[in-house]
Amino acid sequence: LSHPGLRRLLTTAALGEETLASASSSSDSDTGGASPPPRKKHRASAAEGAGESGDSTVATGLSGVVLGLATTSPHHQATSAIHFNRTLVNNLSGNNMQSNGAGQDSELSCLNSAQNGESSSAGGTHFNGLLVSTNNGNSVGTNNGAGPGSGTSTASGSEVSSMKKKKRLSQSEEDVIRLIGQHLHGLGLNQTVDLLMQESGCRLEHTSATKFRNNVMEGEWEKAENDLNELRALMHSPNAIVRMKFLLLQQKYLEYLEDGKVLEALQVLRGELTPLKYNTDRIHVLSGYLMCSHAEDLRAKAEWDGKGANSRCRLLDKLQTYLPPSVMLPPRRLQTLLRQAVELQRDRCLYHNTKLDSSLDSVSLLLDHVCSRKQFPCYTQQILTEHCNEVWFCKFSNNGTKLATGSKDTTVIIWQVDPESHQLKLLRTLEGHAYGVSYLAWSPDDAYLIACGPDDCSELWLWNVQTGELRTKMSQSHEDSLTSVAWNPDGKRFVTGGQRGQFYQCDLDGNLLDSWEGVRVQCLWCVGDGRTVLASDTHQRIRGYNFEDLTDRNIVQEDHPIMSFTVSKNGRLALLNVATQGVHLWDLQDRVLVRKYQGVTQGFYTIHSCFGGHNEDFIASGSEDHKVYIWHRRSELPIAELTGHTRTVNCVSWNPAIPGLMASASDDGTVRVWGPAPFLDTQVVDGLNENCSNMDS
């Protein structure tokens, strides 16, 4: 009865009973007819009751019942009034319990009581133009289509849903929300972050970590040290506190020095950093900064950004690595994950052959990374036919601007690569190699080119590429066989040898500097240290020879003859063409066989393979079945087979500066230049005779 709407509506009901009783007595005494009930009074009461939230339904129902009673007989009016009062109390009780958060069982109980009062039916009853219908416990009143005259007798859907317990987020969902929050915070959208954390019920980072972050960014070093004590209990490694404190004090020391507070900096060094007994070598370096004459000198020697937000942000990045991610997320964690995802997609892309860009701005995060095969160098762009006999070797210069080809026709042709169209033009022809040219080697600066002949050739030619002049024609003995050569990284020396046991180190004038007796050399390579030379020999192995201390060691051992080999730019991997076996990839550092590539036909011909593409992710080799095979370095099956040559493909060279350009030399007397598909209609490209067979696995 304390509910104001309940009191008002009960008063209205009481007035209704008085009026009905008066009407009944008037009817008994006066048979001339009953006077109509005061309808305006009841409507006013109903409207008054509708002024309170939660009572409008009952008030409207009251009006409808009273108006209906006015059209019935006096006996029915009295009986219905009793039922109406019981229904009214039950409805109000149910509505009040629901609004006070009563349970669902109580709500259903109240609704059942209202239905038992016979004041309405499931199908709805018309009372003088008002429709009162009960639909799952919700009473809706409509006044002649003029609009809703009441609300629902139960709480609205939004109120019910808000009372329900929020769905508990999974750990992965919480992690995603925190990652998004950290990213938004880095963009300066702090209000958005606060709203996200409030609505999700998550916490971006521990409160102690937040205090710690703010104190570090504001340069409150004493407070930051106190925060470390609070964070101690949250950390997995107790030694991490010492390291974090050392980093804090180091920043404090450097900022004092930059501000010219030498005494304060000295106190930090002696009284705070040194007692930690951690990284004494670094402390000695820090003490040397006391001698810096000005701030610029300090920043240069310390490789430090100086006092301010930049250096403190870098400090926080270092400090965060010691904190568990549940306490404080690693710096820029979302960007790191996205970058890793992009790199993984690139690594899995069989045809990705463009420069790697670590920036996320260069890619779309809305689509998966896909490279088309038409962007790959597996279409014939040019056929060079200037040689008149078998072409045994081809090699691009180190800067990618020239191509050298050697042939059985005793000539070497230098081709110029157009930087725009990537078309090759004949630059000059070097003649006089009586036995033919089976091997070529560019000097590190591309100024010189060395040409070697086949097994029965005892001579070696060293050409000046710019002038076309022969600088050196070397021959130690007519019994020599100089079939292979390799430049020392300094560009002032080279090594050469052959299968008759010769192994020499010479200068640019052909003077003999060192020799190694009894080594039957098949192929040579100089290691980047400038001391070690790798040589494959007739014992199916590759050994390392040190010309300074005259030591040698075994590095690779195969079961079949090694016809040729080449080494990656970083000196870690070696690519071997093994007789009757094919192409093998070896790790020279671990001395293990990494992979055997399938598809190529390799007999006892000398076939030269190569690394290529950006980051040398690809491998290409000629084959005795007239094809060029290309593999992704991590895949044993070929990703492309290039057809077009009509005889054995002896050598393949990938342009080191233009990853979409490759050349192959064949016994058919031609050199083919391979590149991406031309800008033709798809049907035309697919119908090219020089096609690229897709061998994806």
Side-chain angles (χ1 to χ4, degrees):
L1 292 177
S2 62
H3 193 287
L6 181 61
R7 286 200 307 271
R8 189 156 49 251
L9 292 172
L10 287 178
T11 302
T12 303
L15 291 174
E17 287 188 6
E18 291 179 3
T19 305
L20 292 174
S22 174
S24 178
S25 60
S26 174
S27 176
D28 291 340
S29 60
D30 186 4
T31 58
S35 61
R39 296 170 61 180
K40 291 183 180 179
K41 182 175 182 180
H42 291 297
R43 287 184 179 178
S45 300
E48 181 182 356
E52 290 292 328
S53 174
D55 302 328
S56 59
T57 299
V58 181
T60 305
L62 172 63
S63 300
V65 173
V66 171
L67 292 175
L69 290 175
T71 61
T72 59
S73 65
H75 176 70
H76 288 142
Q77 288 174 350
T79 306
S80 298
I82 298 173
H83 292 169
F84 162 76
N85 289 336
R86 186 184 303 123
T87 303
L88 173 66
V89 173
N90 289 335
N91 267 320
L92 279 173
S93 300
N95 193 34
N96 193 33
M97 292 176 67
Q98 177 68 16
S99 64
N100 290 333
Q104 193 174 10
D105 294 338
S106 301
E107 179 187 356
L108 293 175
S109 175
C110 294
L111 293 174
N112 289 335
S113 299
Q115 291 172 356
N116 291 334
E118 288 104 10
S119 64
S120 63
S121 63
T125 306
H126 289 275
F127 293 118
N128 195 26
L130 263 72
L131 174 62
V132 180
S133 63
T134 302
N135 183 12
N136 296 329
N138 294 334
S139 300
V140 181
T142 304
N143 189 2
N144 293 329
S150 64
T152 58
S153 64
T154 61
S156 65
S158 61
E159 292 173 344
V160 172
S161 62
S162 64
M163 288 187 292
K164 292 181 180 179
K165 187 176 180 180
K166 289 185 177 180
K167 175 188 174 184
R168 181 175 179 83
L169 298 175
S170 65
Q171 184 61 51
S172 62
E173 291 171 334
E174 290 184 6
D175 292 344
V176 171
I177 290 175
R178 292 182 64 202
L179 291 173
I180 295 173
Q182 184 195 42
H183 183 68
L184 294 176
H185 178 75
L187 298 176
L189 305 177
N190 297 327
Q191 294 183 358
T192 305
V193 175
D194 294 340
L195 183 61
L196 175 63
M197 295 301 129
Q198 179 182 357
E199 187 171 356
S200 64
C202 297
R203 184 173 61 183
L204 182 59
E205 59 188 14
H206 198 278
T207 53
S208 299
T210 303
K211 289 196 305 178
F212 179 65
R213 176 194 299 276
N214 294 335
N215 288 329
V216 169
M217 292 303 298
E218 294 171 5
E220 298 288 346
W221 306 118
E222 293 184 3
K223 293 181 180 179
E225 288 184 53
N226 293 333
D227 294 335
L228 280 181
N229 296 327
E230 296 182 19
L231 294 170
R232 185 189 299 269
L234 304 174
M235 300 175 65
H236 302 313
S237 173
N239 296 330
I241 289 291
V242 177
R243 299 171 186 169
M244 295 177 71
K245 190 172 183 180
F246 184 89
L247 292 173
L248 279 177
L249 294 175
Q250 177 180 255
Q251 178 79 11
K252 179 180 178 182
Y253 168 76
L254 292 174
E255 291 193 8
Y256 275 150
L257 282 181
E258 187 182 46
D259 292 340
K261 300 178 180 179
V262 180
L263 293 179
E264 289 85 345
L266 189 60
Q267 176 60 33
V268 173
L269 186 66
R270 292 179 176 176
E272 299 182 65
L273 277 168
T274 303
L276 291 177
K277 297 180 180 179
Y278 173 76
N279 201 350
T280 55
D281 292 338
R282 179 61 179 169
I283 291 178
H284 292 157
V285 174
L286 292 174
S287 63
Y289 298 153
L290 289 167
M291 307 303 295
C292 293
S293 56
H294 47 79
E296 289 78 9
D297 187 26
L298 171 66
R299 289 192 289 267
K301 289 184 177 179
E303 297 180 354
W304 179 58
D305 292 335
K307 180 180 179 180
N310 288 340
S311 64
R312 291 173 182 175
C313 283
R314 292 178 182 272
L315 172 63
L316 266 177
D317 289 348
K318 295 178 182 178
L319 293 170
Q320 283 178 279
T321 60
Y322 296 102
L323 293 171
S326 58
V327 177
M328 181 184 286
L329 288 173
R332 294 172 293 279
R333 182 59 182 163
L334 181 59
Q335 293 96 315
T336 300
L337 292 174
L338 291 174
R339 191 176 298 108
Q340 290 174 352
V342 171
E343 290 175 356
L344 180 62
Q345 289 187 14
R346 285 172 173 170
D347 289 342
R348 291 181 175 178
C349 179
L350 292 177
Y351 298 106
H352 184 75
N353 191 30
T354 57
K355 185 177 181 180
L356 296 177
D357 190 350
S358 59
S359 173
L360 293 176
D361 296 334
S362 63
V363 299
S364 172
L365 300 178
L366 306 181
L367 297 171
D368 287 343
H369 174 84
V370 176
C371 288
S372 170
R373 181 170 61 91
K374 293 181 173 59
Q375 300 170 308
F376 205 68
C378 52
Y379 298 89
T380 299
Q381 286 191 340
Q382 198 173 358
I383 303 176
L384 310 178
T385 60
E386 277 71 7
H387 285 293
C388 56
N389 209 326
E390 299 174 357
V391 185
W392 289 340
F393 200 85
C394 63
K395 184 71 173 180
F396 279 104
S397 60
N398 297 295
N399 59 16
T401 62
K402 298 178 179 67
L403 174 71
T405 58
S407 170
K408 186 179 179 180
D409 64 7
T410 73
T411 65
V412 173
I413 298 180
I414 308 296
W415 309 85
Q416 185 72 44
V417 179
D418 186 280
E420 299 296 332
S421 66
H422 298 168
Q423 292 291 303
L424 275 65
K425 295 181 180 179
L426 192 150
L427 182 62
R428 61 174 43 91
T429 301
L430 309 177
E431 300 176 342
H433 310 84
Y435 298 91
V437 179
S438 62
Y439 196 86
L440 295 166
W442 291 89
S443 63
D445 60 359
D446 294 326
Y448 297 102
L449 181 70
I450 296 179
C452 298
D455 292 343
D456 52 355
C457 179
S458 61
E459 298 176 331
L460 174 148
W461 294 265
L462 193 154
W463 295 92
N464 185 315
V465 177
Q466 298 299 326
T467 63
E469 296 177 353
L470 179 64
R471 171 163 179 170
T472 302
K473 182 178 180 181
M474 173 186 154
S475 178
Q476 293 295 324
S477 170
H478 293 292
E479 296 180 357
D480 287 349
S481 173
L482 304 181
T483 58
S484 184
V485 67
W487 283 90
N488 191 285
D490 63 11
K492 299 177 181 179
R493 296 170 290 166
F494 61 87
V495 291
T496 183
Q499 293 190 4
R500 296 180 182 176
Q502 295 77 34
F503 189 10
Y504 306 133
Q505 181 171 221
C506 308
D507 62 15
L508 296 182
D509 295 323
N511 298 318
L512 186 62
L513 301 178
D514 295 290
S515 64
W516 209 292
E517 299 295 335
V519 181
R520 298 181 180 273
V521 174
Q522 178 71 25
C523 193
L524 293 167
W525 190 272
C526 287
V527 181
D529 61 8
R531 300 186 303 270
T532 306
V533 177
L534 302 181
S536 61
D537 55 32
T538 54
H539 296 284
Q540 306 167 3
R541 64 188 180 183
I542 295 178
R543 292 178 64 82
Y545 298 89
N546 191 313
F547 276 90
E548 290 187 359
D549 56 17
L550 300 179
T551 59
D552 60 330
R553 58 193 179 100
N554 204 41
I555 297 178
V556 170
Q557 182 66 59
E558 283 279 0
D559 296 329
H560 298 81
I562 300 172
M563 306 308 296
S564 69
F565 77 93
T566 187
V567 179
S568 61
K569 289 180 180 179
N570 59 14
R572 179 70 184 264
L573 300 174
L575 195 61
L576 285 61
N577 283 74
V578 184
T580 71
Q581 301 299 301
V583 181
H584 292 179
L585 183 67
W586 279 79
D587 188 315
L588 298 179
Q589 181 174 320
D590 296 336
R591 304 183 191 180
V592 295
L593 177 62
V594 177
R595 195 160 287 110
K596 294 181 179 181
Y597 297 102
Q598 302 178 21
V600 68
T601 302
Q602 170 75 65
F604 287 91
Y605 282 101
T606 299
I607 294 177
H608 301 272
S609 56
C610 67
F611 293 96
H614 267 300
N615 202 33
E616 295 190 326
D617 284 333
F618 302 98
I619 289 169
S621 177
S623 176
E624 295 181 18
D625 62 1
H626 315 165
K627 296 179 182 179
V628 175
Y629 287 83
I630 302 177
W631 301 267
H632 196 285
R633 200 169 66 188
R634 292 185 300 274
S635 176
E636 295 183 356
L637 297 177
I639 62 173
E641 297 178 9
L642 314 187
T643 61
H645 286 294
T646 58
R647 293 183 63 187
T648 297
V649 180
N650 299 307
C651 183
V652 179
S653 180
W654 210 306
N655 193 301
I658 307 174
L661 193 63
M662 189 173 59
S664 58
S666 171
D667 282 348
D668 63 10
T670 66
V671 175
R672 284 187 175 248
V673 181
W674 307 87
F679 294 102
L680 300 175
D681 183 77
T682 304
Q683 295 180 353
V684 176
V685 172
D686 292 340
L688 289 176
N689 292 329
E690 295 79 36
N691 58 56
C692 174
S693 302
N694 189 359
M695 301 293 290
D696 297 354
S697 57

